[in-house]
Amino acid sequence: MSECIELRYEVSSEDFTRAGEASSNVKKKLKQMGVSPAAITKVAIAMYEGEINMVIHADGGHIEVTISEEEIEIKLCDRGPGIQNVEKAMQAGYSTAPDNIRALGFGAGMGLPNMKKYTDEMTIDTEIGVGTTVTMKVKL
Amino acid sequence: MTVEDVRATLGARVICGEEYLNREVYSACGSDMMSDVLAFVKDRSVLLTGLCNPQVIRTAEMMDIVCVIFVRGKKPDDMIIELAKEKEIPILCTGHRMFSACGMLYARGLNGGASYNE
Ligand SMILES: Nc1ncnc2c1ncn2[C@@H]1O[C@H](COP(=O)(O)OP(=O)(O)OP(=O)(O)O)[C@@H](O)[C@H]1O
Ligand SMILES: [Mg+2]
């Protein structure tokens, strides 16, 4: 079987309280599909961190999730400012988040390292002034 | 211990999820930064936090946290409570500061738990 399930979510940056709804929906779907709890946790956390980043650092965007027999791919696409220095951004503790974001509980500089840690593959495609695409894969 | 034992230890108030108080708790985690919480998955953990917004419940949802405890007398609004009910996550509130609340639970034998993938 090589059947794939494809899901697409629009992520708005207007309402911070709703950030995470896409990840929540994916988590629910994976559970219904009987995916292993360990893989669900990895996908849920990595996607949630990515979704939050789209909301707080870019102007929202969209997320494509592809589920196959072998793996789950999560592609986060935004048209935000891009990442100046990816190597730096990947370091634990590095954050450009302003105080108002820190007051919301984010901006520890742990998101990208977490995404890397919980996934089997992660690539960041970014261009200043154009946007960022983060692609992550979790093997099943 | 159970969520009810945690509640009794802290003298905490149950805001919602009365029906989940018999859940087993194996570990605890205290932080106001959600990505710090997300860095280490623990087994059947409670989350103590002074942060009070819907993202606390979302974070708890992603990690399968068994109970959220708001410290320093923080009171969740209706939106937070509704989300917690939907996700079947009980909420407790205590007037204790973060340090004291964590210390009280630690003294009762609850610890940080094994971290994921270390
Ligand atoms: N989609 C994005 N668009 C533009 N910049 C980004 C994006 N994602 C991350 N960054 C940049 O990379 C930095 C590090 O991101 P990371 O997710 O690790 O930490 P954070 O979001 O600042 O804090 P935390 O994730 O701990 O809440 C951010 O502060 C920001 O400067
Ligand atoms: Mg982040």
Side-chain angles (χ1 to χ4, degrees):
Chain A
M1 270 215 311
S2 59
E3 219 176 287
C4 276
I5 295 174
E6 284 176 36
L7 306 166
R8 187 190 160 101
Y9 299 89
E10 300 300 324
V11 178
S12 159
S13 62
E14 262 150 50
D15 188 356
F16 177 74
T17 63
R18 297 188 58 181
E21 280 184 356
S23 305
S24 173
N25 190 274
V26 167
K27 186 173 192 242
K28 195 157 108 192
K29 286 221 163 73
L30 295 179
K31 209 168 166 186
Q32 284 165 353
M33 290 170 65
V35 172
S36 77
I40 293 177
T41 301
K42 290 178 184 176
V43 169
I45 293 177
M47 179 169 166
Y48 178 61
E49 289 280 18
E51 190 177 348
I52 293 283
N53 277 356
M54 294 178 98
V55 172
I56 65 180
H57 302 301
D59 265 331
H62 75 270
I63 308 176
E64 293 164 23
V65 180
T66 311
I67 307 159
S68 70
E69 291 276 304
E70 303 82 35
E71 64 183 22
I72 298 170
E73 186 189 79
I74 306 139
K75 201 168 168 184
L76 305 131
C77 315
D78 71 58
R79 292 172 172 277
I83 303 174
Q84 281 281 353
N85 186 335
V86 173
E87 204 182 313
K88 231 177 173 177
M90 285 302 301
Q91 283 170 14
Y94 177 83
S95 174
T96 60
D99 283 349
N100 65 317
I101 295 297
R102 296 179 68 82
L104 293 170
F106 291 89
M110 292 302 294
L112 288 173
N114 280 352
M115 288 155 73
K116 171 116 188 134
K117 172 176 166 183
Y118 288 112
T119 55
D120 295 300
E121 257 178 64
M122 176 167 129
T123 54
I124 301 177
D125 250 310
T126 187
E127 200 178 325
I128 298 303
V130 178
T132 302
T133 298
V134 180
T135 309
M136 304 181 288
K137 287 179 185 176
V138 171
K139 302 256 181 271
L140 292 177
Chain B
M1 68 174 81
T2 63
V3 173
E4 168 55 23
D5 296 329
V6 169
R7 190 209 61 73
T9 302
L10 299 174
R13 212 150 47 84
V14 182
I15 302 298
C16 68
E18 196 80 56
E19 62 271 45
Y20 308 121
L21 296 189
N22 57 355
R23 279 187 188 164
E24 279 295 326
V25 176
Y26 295 163
S27 59
C29 172
S31 180
D32 290 353
M33 295 303 266
M34 292 302 107
S35 291
D36 274 342
V37 175
L38 289 159
F40 300 103
V41 173
K42 299 168 189 92
D43 194 22
R44 305 201 69 82
S45 192
V46 294
L47 169 60
L48 297 101
T49 186
L51 183 73
C52 204
N53 68 36
Q55 297 309 332
V56 172
I57 307 301
R58 289 270 177 233
T59 299
E61 176 194 356
M62 299 309 154
M63 301 191 73
D64 298 310
I65 294 278
V66 296
C67 172
V68 168
I69 303 159
F70 290 110
V71 298
R72 303 197 289 272
K74 291 278 157 67
K75 287 198 182 64
D77 63 19
D78 289 346
M79 188 179 190
I80 298 174
I81 296 170
E82 282 316 309
L83 190 60
K85 283 183 182 164
E86 185 190 324
K87 303 303 171 191
E88 303 182 356
I89 299 168
I91 296 180
L92 306 182
C93 277
T94 173
H96 291 294
R97 301 282 177 92
M98 177 73 92
F99 180 79
S100 311
C102 291
M104 289 160 93
L105 294 176
Y106 195 87
R108 282 289 310 272
L110 201 59
N111 59 42
S115 53
Y116 179 85
N117 204 5
E118 239 185 356

